[in-house]
Amino acid sequence: MSIYDFTVQTITGEQQSLSAYKGKTLLIVNTASACGLTPHYKGLQQIYEAHKDENLVVLGFPCNQFAAQEPGSNEEIASFCELNYGVTFPMFAKIEVNGENAHPLYKYLVDAAPAPYHTGTIEWNFVKFLIDQEGNVVKQYPASTDPAAIEPDLRSLINNGSLGAAPNTVND
């Protein structure tokens, strides 16, 4: 099983295979429009604009599971993101990311996140997963991680294809 085995629904209702993103670095984020972290959209858009020509794609997945902070329809969410943050990265239909009804993609992401970054859950809106060009989950970032703080890892993945040895990582 890999990230490329999943099909998701775009925010406009089309089915999209994640295999379309083979060979790209991905930053997958669960989002919300009425959250204290909603300004992360701005930073995510900046990262996308800065690196899209280097095969980076940000993928946004709206979720209403945390304090009902994403109550709108997919159309309302798309409009909000475009009008307020100029979002041009791909956005997908609203999903659940935790629990029995969690989207299979998110079940996979949570399970595949490596130590020491594996948390076993999505704690809030704007949890970020970094995926390498081969479709491997290489890091999970907490919701509070500012998108700008991910820049060094992105550069490493884009330039080297890996994060290198991370602190606190046990080598096998």
Side-chain angles (χ1 to χ4, degrees):
M1 167 92 24
S2 89
I3 191 114
Y4 304 129
D5 295 325
F6 295 95
T7 297
V8 293
Q9 185 178 26
T10 68
I11 203 155
T12 56
E14 295 86 25
Q15 293 298 308
Q16 171 71 58
S17 171
L18 293 183
S19 66
Y21 300 109
K22 279 186 179 176
K24 298 184 183 293
T25 300
L26 304 176
L27 186 62
I28 299 176
V29 187
N30 64 303
T31 62
S33 300
C35 175
L37 298 174
T38 299
H40 280 212
Y41 271 126
K42 180 179 179 183
L44 294 168
Q45 180 62 29
Q46 289 171 336
I47 283 174
Y48 178 62
E49 287 177 9
H51 298 289
K52 66 183 178 183
D53 292 337
E54 300 169 281
N55 285 323
L56 169 79
V57 182
V58 176
L59 306 178
F61 288 87
C63 177
N64 195 40
Q65 282 188 286
F66 304 102
Q69 294 181 340
E70 188 58 277
S73 68
N74 287 328
E75 184 176 88
E76 290 167 332
I77 295 165
S79 177
F80 172 87
C81 290
E82 184 179 341
L83 291 173
N84 293 287
Y85 294 99
V87 168
T88 59
F89 57 81
M91 291 290 294
F92 295 87
K94 191 166 24 174
I95 62 169
E96 290 189 16
V97 298
N98 279 332
E100 187 177 309
N101 296 319
H103 191 284
L105 169 64
Y106 266 80
K107 289 180 181 179
Y108 173 79
L109 291 171
V110 167
D111 288 344
Y117 313 111
H118 179 84
T119 67
T121 190
I122 305 294
E123 84 271 10
W124 199 251
N125 303 306
F126 292 93
V127 169
K128 299 148 194 83
F129 289 91
L130 188 58
I131 315 298
D132 71 14
Q133 297 93 333
E134 295 176 5
N136 301 306
V137 179
V138 294
K139 197 165 183 180
Q140 178 180 349
Y141 301 87
S144 60
T145 303
D146 188 278
I150 300 171
E151 187 79 21
D153 288 343
L154 286 174
R155 288 203 172 281
S156 182
L157 265 185
I158 290 167
N159 295 330
N160 307 321
S162 70
L163 293 182
N168 305 324
T169 303
V170 176
N171 293 327
D172 292 326

PDB file of all heavy atoms in Angstrom, residues 99-128:
ATOM      1  N   GLY A  99     -11.228   8.592  13.837  1.00  0.00           N
ATOM      2  CA  GLY A  99     -12.380   7.780  14.215  1.00  0.00           C
ATOM      3  C   GLY A  99     -12.816   6.779  13.160  1.00  0.00           C
ATOM      4  O   GLY A  99     -12.150   6.563  12.140  1.00  0.00           O
ATOM      5  N   GLU A 100     -13.955   6.180  13.432  1.00  0.00           N
ATOM      6  CA  GLU A 100     -14.499   5.108  12.602  1.00  0.00           C
ATOM      7  C   GLU A 100     -14.717   5.535  11.156  1.00  0.00           C
ATOM      8  O   GLU A 100     -14.545   4.743  10.230  1.00  0.00           O
ATOM      9  CB  GLU A 100     -15.820   4.636  13.214  1.00  0.00           C
ATOM     10  CG  GLU A 100     -16.421   3.426  12.565  1.00  0.00           C
ATOM     11  CD  GLU A 100     -17.682   2.989  13.275  1.00  0.00           C
ATOM     12  OE1 GLU A 100     -17.647   2.832  14.509  1.00  0.00           O
ATOM     13  OE2 GLU A 100     -18.697   2.813  12.581  1.00  0.00           O
ATOM     14  N   ASN A 101     -15.118   6.787  10.940  1.00  0.00           N
ATOM     15  CA  ASN A 101     -15.399   7.277   9.592  1.00  0.00           C
ATOM     16  C   ASN A 101     -14.244   8.049   8.960  1.00  0.00           C
ATOM     17  O   ASN A 101     -14.436   8.756   7.973  1.00  0.00           O
ATOM     18  CB  ASN A 101     -16.660   8.140   9.601  1.00  0.00           C
ATOM     19  CG  ASN A 101     -17.877   7.336   9.984  1.00  0.00           C
ATOM     20  OD1 ASN A 101     -18.048   6.204   9.554  1.00  0.00           O
ATOM     21  ND2 ASN A 101     -18.715   7.906  10.830  1.00  0.00           N
ATOM     22  N   ALA A 102     -13.065   7.915   9.535  1.00  0.00           N
ATOM     23  CA  ALA A 102     -11.901   8.604   8.969  1.00  0.00           C
ATOM     24  C   ALA A 102     -11.677   8.114   7.545  1.00  0.00           C
ATOM     25  O   ALA A 102     -11.816   6.921   7.242  1.00  0.00           O
ATOM     26  CB  ALA A 102     -10.661   8.340   9.811  1.00  0.00           C
ATOM     27  N   HIS A 103     -11.317   9.049   6.675  1.00  0.00           N
ATOM     28  CA  HIS A 103     -11.008   8.696   5.289  1.00  0.00           C
ATOM     29  C   HIS A 103      -9.825   7.726   5.288  1.00  0.00           C
ATOM     30  O   HIS A 103      -8.873   7.902   6.060  1.00  0.00           O
ATOM     31  CB  HIS A 103     -10.668   9.964   4.498  1.00  0.00           C
ATOM     32  CG  HIS A 103     -10.604   9.740   3.033  1.00  0.00           C
ATOM     33  ND1 HIS A 103      -9.537   9.118   2.423  1.00  0.00           N
ATOM     34  CD2 HIS A 103     -11.490  10.030   2.050  1.00  0.00           C
ATOM     35  CE1 HIS A 103      -9.761   9.034   1.125  1.00  0.00           C
ATOM     36  NE2 HIS A 103     -10.948   9.586   0.869  1.00  0.00           N
ATOM     37  N   PRO A 104      -9.854   6.707   4.428  1.00  0.00           N
ATOM     38  CA  PRO A 104      -8.738   5.741   4.381  1.00  0.00           C
ATOM     39  C   PRO A 104      -7.379   6.398   4.168  1.00  0.00           C
ATOM     40  O   PRO A 104      -6.382   5.918   4.704  1.00  0.00           O
ATOM     41  CB  PRO A 104      -9.106   4.841   3.192  1.00  0.00           C
ATOM     42  CG  PRO A 104     -10.602   4.927   3.105  1.00  0.00           C
ATOM     43  CD  PRO A 104     -10.958   6.325   3.530  1.00  0.00           C
ATOM     44  N   LEU A 105      -7.325   7.498   3.435  1.00  0.00           N
ATOM     45  CA  LEU A 105      -6.052   8.204   3.252  1.00  0.00           C
ATOM     46  C   LEU A 105      -5.497   8.639   4.600  1.00  0.00           C
ATOM     47  O   LEU A 105      -4.307   8.463   4.878  1.00  0.00           O
ATOM     48  CB  LEU A 105      -6.229   9.426   2.343  1.00  0.00           C
ATOM     49  CG  LEU A 105      -5.030  10.378   2.285  1.00  0.00           C
ATOM     50  CD1 LEU A 105      -3.805   9.683   1.687  1.00  0.00           C
ATOM     51  CD2 LEU A 105      -5.380  11.639   1.514  1.00  0.00           C
ATOM     52  N   TYR A 106      -6.333   9.199   5.445  1.00  0.00           N
ATOM     53  CA  TYR A 106      -5.857   9.678   6.746  1.00  0.00           C
ATOM     54  C   TYR A 106      -5.521   8.534   7.687  1.00  0.00           C
ATOM     55  O   TYR A 106      -4.583   8.639   8.488  1.00  0.00           O
ATOM     56  CB  TYR A 106      -6.825  10.699   7.345  1.00  0.00           C
ATOM     57  CG  TYR A 106      -6.375  12.091   6.976  1.00  0.00           C
ATOM     58  CD1 TYR A 106      -6.645  12.627   5.726  1.00  0.00           C
ATOM     59  CD2 TYR A 106      -5.587  12.823   7.843  1.00  0.00           C
ATOM     60  CE1 TYR A 106      -6.177  13.877   5.363  1.00  0.00           C
ATOM     61  CE2 TYR A 106      -5.111  14.081   7.496  1.00  0.00           C
ATOM     62  CZ  TYR A 106      -5.408  14.595   6.258  1.00  0.00           C
ATOM     63  OH  TYR A 106      -4.912  15.826   5.908  1.00  0.00           O
ATOM     64  N   LYS A 107      -6.236   7.432   7.610  1.00  0.00           N
ATOM     65  CA  LYS A 107      -5.863   6.256   8.403  1.00  0.00           C
ATOM     66  C   LYS A 107      -4.453   5.827   7.998  1.00  0.00           C
ATOM     67  O   LYS A 107      -3.619   5.514   8.844  1.00  0.00           O
ATOM     68  CB  LYS A 107      -6.854   5.121   8.186  1.00  0.00           C
ATOM     69  CG  LYS A 107      -8.211   5.377   8.826  1.00  0.00           C
ATOM     70  CD  LYS A 107      -9.168   4.220   8.572  1.00  0.00           C
ATOM     71  CE  LYS A 107     -10.517   4.498   9.183  1.00  0.00           C
ATOM     72  NZ  LYS A 107     -11.478   3.410   8.943  1.00  0.00           N
ATOM     73  N   TYR A 108      -4.195   5.815   6.694  1.00  0.00           N
ATOM     74  CA  TYR A 108      -2.881   5.447   6.185  1.00  0.00           C
ATOM     75  C   TYR A 108      -1.806   6.430   6.650  1.00  0.00           C
ATOM     76  O   TYR A 108      -0.743   6.022   7.125  1.00  0.00           O
ATOM     77  CB  TYR A 108      -2.916   5.374   4.652  1.00  0.00           C
ATOM     78  CG  TYR A 108      -1.561   5.155   4.040  1.00  0.00           C
ATOM     79  CD1 TYR A 108      -0.987   3.891   4.014  1.00  0.00           C
ATOM     80  CD2 TYR A 108      -0.838   6.224   3.509  1.00  0.00           C
ATOM     81  CE1 TYR A 108       0.270   3.692   3.468  1.00  0.00           C
ATOM     82  CE2 TYR A 108       0.416   6.028   2.956  1.00  0.00           C
ATOM     83  CZ  TYR A 108       0.970   4.767   2.948  1.00  0.00           C
ATOM     84  OH  TYR A 108       2.222   4.575   2.418  1.00  0.00           O
ATOM     85  N   LEU A 109      -2.054   7.726   6.486  1.00  0.00           N
ATOM     86  CA  LEU A 109      -1.064   8.733   6.872  1.00  0.00           C
ATOM     87  C   LEU A 109      -0.675   8.602   8.343  1.00  0.00           C
ATOM     88  O   LEU A 109       0.509   8.630   8.690  1.00  0.00           O
ATOM     89  CB  LEU A 109      -1.604  10.142   6.612  1.00  0.00           C
ATOM     90  CG  LEU A 109      -1.773  10.552   5.151  1.00  0.00           C
ATOM     91  CD1 LEU A 109      -2.531  11.874   5.058  1.00  0.00           C
ATOM     92  CD2 LEU A 109      -0.426  10.635   4.448  1.00  0.00           C
ATOM     93  N   VAL A 110      -1.676   8.463   9.210  1.00  0.00           N
ATOM     94  CA  VAL A 110      -1.413   8.361  10.651  1.00  0.00           C
ATOM     95  C   VAL A 110      -0.596   7.115  10.958  1.00  0.00           C
ATOM     96  O   VAL A 110       0.360   7.163  11.736  1.00  0.00           O
ATOM     97  CB  VAL A 110      -2.745   8.372  11.442  1.00  0.00           C
ATOM     98  CG1 VAL A 110      -2.541   7.946  12.882  1.00  0.00           C
ATOM     99  CG2 VAL A 110      -3.376   9.757  11.386  1.00  0.00           C
ATOM    100  N   ASP A 111      -0.941   5.993  10.315  1.00  0.00           N
ATOM    101  CA  ASP A 111      -0.214   4.736  10.562  1.00  0.00           C
ATOM    102  C   ASP A 111       1.191   4.760   9.975  1.00  0.00           C
ATOM    103  O   ASP A 111       2.107   4.162  10.523  1.00  0.00           O
ATOM    104  CB  ASP A 111      -0.982   3.550   9.980  1.00  0.00           C
ATOM    105  CG  ASP A 111      -2.229   3.213  10.776  1.00  0.00           C
ATOM    106  OD1 ASP A 111      -2.362   3.680  11.931  1.00  0.00           O
ATOM    107  OD2 ASP A 111      -3.081   2.489  10.232  1.00  0.00           O
ATOM    108  N   ALA A 112       1.359   5.444   8.827  1.00  0.00           N
ATOM    109  CA  ALA A 112       2.635   5.415   8.112  1.00  0.00           C
ATOM    110  C   ALA A 112       3.650   6.439   8.601  1.00  0.00           C
ATOM    111  O   ALA A 112       4.830   6.342   8.252  1.00  0.00           O
ATOM    112  CB  ALA A 112       2.390   5.618   6.611  1.00  0.00           C
ATOM    113  N   ALA A 113       3.232   7.415   9.395  1.00  0.00           N
ATOM    114  CA  ALA A 113       4.176   8.421   9.893  1.00  0.00           C
ATOM    115  C   ALA A 113       5.266   7.717  10.711  1.00  0.00           C
ATOM    116  O   ALA A 113       4.964   6.947  11.620  1.00  0.00           O
ATOM    117  CB  ALA A 113       3.459   9.465  10.729  1.00  0.00           C
ATOM    118  N   PRO A 114       6.534   7.956  10.385  1.00  0.00           N
ATOM    119  CA  PRO A 114       7.621   7.253  11.065  1.00  0.00           C
ATOM    120  C   PRO A 114       7.957   7.852  12.430  1.00  0.00           C
ATOM    121  O   PRO A 114       7.672   9.009  12.704  1.00  0.00           O
ATOM    122  CB  PRO A 114       8.798   7.437  10.104  1.00  0.00           C
ATOM    123  CG  PRO A 114       8.523   8.756   9.442  1.00  0.00           C
ATOM    124  CD  PRO A 114       7.029   8.841   9.312  1.00  0.00           C
ATOM    125  N   ALA A 115       8.596   7.032  13.269  1.00  0.00           N
ATOM    126  CA  ALA A 115       9.144   7.533  14.531  1.00  0.00           C
ATOM    127  C   ALA A 115      10.282   8.485  14.177  1.00  0.00           C
ATOM    128  O   ALA A 115      10.945   8.285  13.165  1.00  0.00           O
ATOM    129  CB  ALA A 115       9.648   6.367  15.372  1.00  0.00           C
ATOM    130  N   PRO A 116      10.525   9.499  14.931  1.00  0.00           N
ATOM    131  CA  PRO A 116       9.859   9.901  16.165  1.00  0.00           C
ATOM    132  C   PRO A 116       8.651  10.811  15.943  1.00  0.00           C
ATOM    133  O   PRO A 116       8.156  11.417  16.887  1.00  0.00           O
ATOM    134  CB  PRO A 116      10.963  10.655  16.914  1.00  0.00           C
ATOM    135  CG  PRO A 116      11.731  11.310  15.811  1.00  0.00           C
ATOM    136  CD  PRO A 116      11.695  10.330  14.654  1.00  0.00           C
ATOM    137  N   TYR A 117       8.156  10.903  14.710  1.00  0.00           N
ATOM    138  CA  TYR A 117       7.090  11.843  14.388  1.00  0.00           C
ATOM    139  C   TYR A 117       5.692  11.237  14.488  1.00  0.00           C
ATOM    140  O   TYR A 117       4.701  11.942  14.422  1.00  0.00           O
ATOM    141  CB  TYR A 117       7.297  12.395  12.968  1.00  0.00           C
ATOM    142  CG  TYR A 117       8.709  12.837  12.737  1.00  0.00           C
ATOM    143  CD1 TYR A 117       9.537  12.147  11.865  1.00  0.00           C
ATOM    144  CD2 TYR A 117       9.242  13.929  13.426  1.00  0.00           C
ATOM    145  CE1 TYR A 117      10.842  12.534  11.663  1.00  0.00           C
ATOM    146  CE2 TYR A 117      10.556  14.323  13.237  1.00  0.00           C
ATOM    147  CZ  TYR A 117      11.345  13.619  12.352  1.00  0.00           C
ATOM    148  OH  TYR A 117      12.645  13.998  12.168  1.00  0.00           O
ATOM    149  N   HIS A 118       5.609   9.938  14.615  1.00  0.00           N
ATOM    150  CA  HIS A 118       4.334   9.229  14.665  1.00  0.00           C
ATOM    151  C   HIS A 118       3.575   9.578  15.951  1.00  0.00           C
ATOM    152  O   HIS A 118       4.112   9.438  17.040  1.00  0.00           O
ATOM    153  CB  HIS A 118       4.602   7.723  14.615  1.00  0.00           C
ATOM    154  CG  HIS A 118       3.378   6.890  14.693  1.00  0.00           C
ATOM    155  ND1 HIS A 118       2.609   6.597  13.605  1.00  0.00           N
ATOM    156  CD2 HIS A 118       2.781   6.295  15.742  1.00  0.00           C
ATOM    157  CE1 HIS A 118       1.591   5.852  13.969  1.00  0.00           C
ATOM    158  NE2 HIS A 118       1.679   5.655  15.265  1.00  0.00           N
ATOM    159  N   THR A 119       2.342  10.047  15.805  1.00  0.00           N
ATOM    160  CA  THR A 119       1.535  10.375  16.986  1.00  0.00           C
ATOM    161  C   THR A 119       0.334   9.456  17.140  1.00  0.00           C
ATOM    162  O   THR A 119      -0.267   9.410  18.205  1.00  0.00           O
ATOM    163  CB  THR A 119       1.006  11.826  16.924  1.00  0.00           C
ATOM    164  OG1 THR A 119       0.070  11.932  15.843  1.00  0.00           O
ATOM    165  CG2 THR A 119       2.133  12.829  16.758  1.00  0.00           C
ATOM    166  N   GLY A 120      -0.059   8.767  16.066  1.00  0.00           N
ATOM    167  CA  GLY A 120      -1.197   7.855  16.134  1.00  0.00           C
ATOM    168  C   GLY A 120      -2.544   8.530  16.012  1.00  0.00           C
ATOM    169  O   GLY A 120      -3.568   7.865  16.116  1.00  0.00           O
ATOM    170  N   THR A 121      -2.552   9.857  15.793  1.00  0.00           N
ATOM    171  CA  THR A 121      -3.818  10.566  15.704  1.00  0.00           C
ATOM    172  C   THR A 121      -3.621  11.900  14.987  1.00  0.00           C
ATOM    173  O   THR A 121      -2.503  12.329  14.750  1.00  0.00           O
ATOM    174  CB  THR A 121      -4.429  10.797  17.108  1.00  0.00           C
ATOM    175  OG1 THR A 121      -5.761  11.276  16.961  1.00  0.00           O
ATOM    176  CG2 THR A 121      -3.612  11.780  17.922  1.00  0.00           C
ATOM    177  N   ILE A 122      -4.735  12.540  14.702  1.00  0.00           N
ATOM    178  CA  ILE A 122      -4.741  13.918  14.222  1.00  0.00           C
ATOM    179  C   ILE A 122      -5.301  14.725  15.387  1.00  0.00           C
ATOM    180  O   ILE A 122      -6.458  14.540  15.771  1.00  0.00           O
ATOM    181  CB  ILE A 122      -5.659  14.085  12.981  1.00  0.00           C
ATOM    182  CG1 ILE A 122      -5.278  13.109  11.868  1.00  0.00           C
ATOM    183  CG2 ILE A 122      -5.662  15.534  12.504  1.00  0.00           C
ATOM    184  CD1 ILE A 122      -3.924  13.338  11.265  1.00  0.00           C
ATOM    185  N   GLU A 123      -4.486  15.597  15.981  1.00  0.00           N
ATOM    186  CA  GLU A 123      -4.925  16.257  17.217  1.00  0.00           C
ATOM    187  C   GLU A 123      -5.797  17.475  16.978  1.00  0.00           C
ATOM    188  O   GLU A 123      -6.533  17.889  17.872  1.00  0.00           O
ATOM    189  CB  GLU A 123      -3.720  16.616  18.100  1.00  0.00           C
ATOM    190  CG  GLU A 123      -3.015  17.913  17.768  1.00  0.00           C
ATOM    191  CD  GLU A 123      -1.898  17.810  16.738  1.00  0.00           C
ATOM    192  OE1 GLU A 123      -1.753  16.753  16.098  1.00  0.00           O
ATOM    193  OE2 GLU A 123      -1.175  18.806  16.574  1.00  0.00           O
ATOM    194  N   TRP A 124      -5.732  18.078  15.783  1.00  0.00           N
ATOM    195  CA  TRP A 124      -6.497  19.308  15.545  1.00  0.00           C
ATOM    196  C   TRP A 124      -6.427  19.644  14.063  1.00  0.00           C
ATOM    197  O   TRP A 124      -5.813  18.913  13.279  1.00  0.00           O
ATOM    198  CB  TRP A 124      -5.942  20.458  16.401  1.00  0.00           C
ATOM    199  CG  TRP A 124      -6.907  21.598  16.584  1.00  0.00           C
ATOM    200  CD1 TRP A 124      -6.811  22.838  16.029  1.00  0.00           C
ATOM    201  CD2 TRP A 124      -8.115  21.611  17.348  1.00  0.00           C
ATOM    202  NE1 TRP A 124      -7.882  23.611  16.397  1.00  0.00           N
ATOM    203  CE2 TRP A 124      -8.702  22.883  17.223  1.00  0.00           C
ATOM    204  CE3 TRP A 124      -8.773  20.660  18.136  1.00  0.00           C
ATOM    205  CZ2 TRP A 124      -9.893  23.241  17.835  1.00  0.00           C
ATOM    206  CZ3 TRP A 124      -9.955  21.019  18.758  1.00  0.00           C
ATOM    207  CH2 TRP A 124     -10.499  22.299  18.607  1.00  0.00           C
ATOM    208  N   ASN A 125      -6.999  20.754  13.698  1.00  0.00           N
ATOM    209  CA  ASN A 125      -6.908  21.258  12.327  1.00  0.00           C
ATOM    210  C   ASN A 125      -5.458  21.634  12.014  1.00  0.00           C
ATOM    211  O   ASN A 125      -4.727  22.075  12.882  1.00  0.00           O
ATOM    212  CB  ASN A 125      -7.781  22.514  12.163  1.00  0.00           C
ATOM    213  CG  ASN A 125      -9.218  22.261  12.531  1.00  0.00           C
ATOM    214  OD1 ASN A 125      -9.851  21.349  12.020  1.00  0.00           O
ATOM    215  ND2 ASN A 125      -9.748  23.079  13.435  1.00  0.00           N
ATOM    216  N   PHE A 126      -5.085  21.479  10.764  1.00  0.00           N
ATOM    217  CA  PHE A 126      -3.782  21.893  10.237  1.00  0.00           C
ATOM    218  C   PHE A 126      -2.606  21.011  10.669  1.00  0.00           C
ATOM    219  O   PHE A 126      -1.476  21.477  10.748  1.00  0.00           O
ATOM    220  CB  PHE A 126      -3.518  23.385  10.484  1.00  0.00           C
ATOM    221  CG  PHE A 126      -4.437  24.259   9.682  1.00  0.00           C
ATOM    222  CD1 PHE A 126      -5.633  24.717  10.223  1.00  0.00           C
ATOM    223  CD2 PHE A 126      -4.139  24.582   8.367  1.00  0.00           C
ATOM    224  CE1 PHE A 126      -6.516  25.491   9.476  1.00  0.00           C
ATOM    225  CE2 PHE A 126      -5.015  25.352   7.608  1.00  0.00           C
ATOM    226  CZ  PHE A 126      -6.200  25.805   8.162  1.00  0.00           C
ATOM    227  N   VAL A 127      -2.875  19.720  10.926  1.00  0.00           N
ATOM    228  CA  VAL A 127      -1.788  18.754  11.051  1.00  0.00           C
ATOM    229  C   VAL A 127      -1.243  18.562   9.638  1.00  0.00           C
ATOM    230  O   VAL A 127      -1.996  18.501   8.667  1.00  0.00           O
ATOM    231  CB  VAL A 127      -2.288  17.419  11.646  1.00  0.00           C
ATOM    232  CG1 VAL A 127      -1.226  16.333  11.535  1.00  0.00           C
ATOM    233  CG2 VAL A 127      -2.713  17.622  13.096  1.00  0.00           C
ATOM    234  N   LYS A 128       0.071  18.500   9.519  1.00  0.00           N
ATOM    235  CA  LYS A 128       0.709  18.443   8.206  1.00  0.00           C
ATOM    236  C   LYS A 128       1.529  17.168   8.064  1.00  0.00           C
ATOM    237  O   LYS A 128       2.230  16.777   8.994  1.00  0.00           O
ATOM    238  CB  LYS A 128       1.608  19.672   8.025  1.00  0.00           C
ATOM    239  CG  LYS A 128       0.831  20.980   8.096  1.00  0.00           C
ATOM    240  CD  LYS A 128       1.708  22.088   8.684  1.00  0.00           C
ATOM    241  CE  LYS A 128       0.906  23.292   9.077  1.00  0.00           C
ATOM    242  NZ  LYS A 128       0.289  23.170  10.415  1.00  0.00           N
TER     243      LYS A 128
END
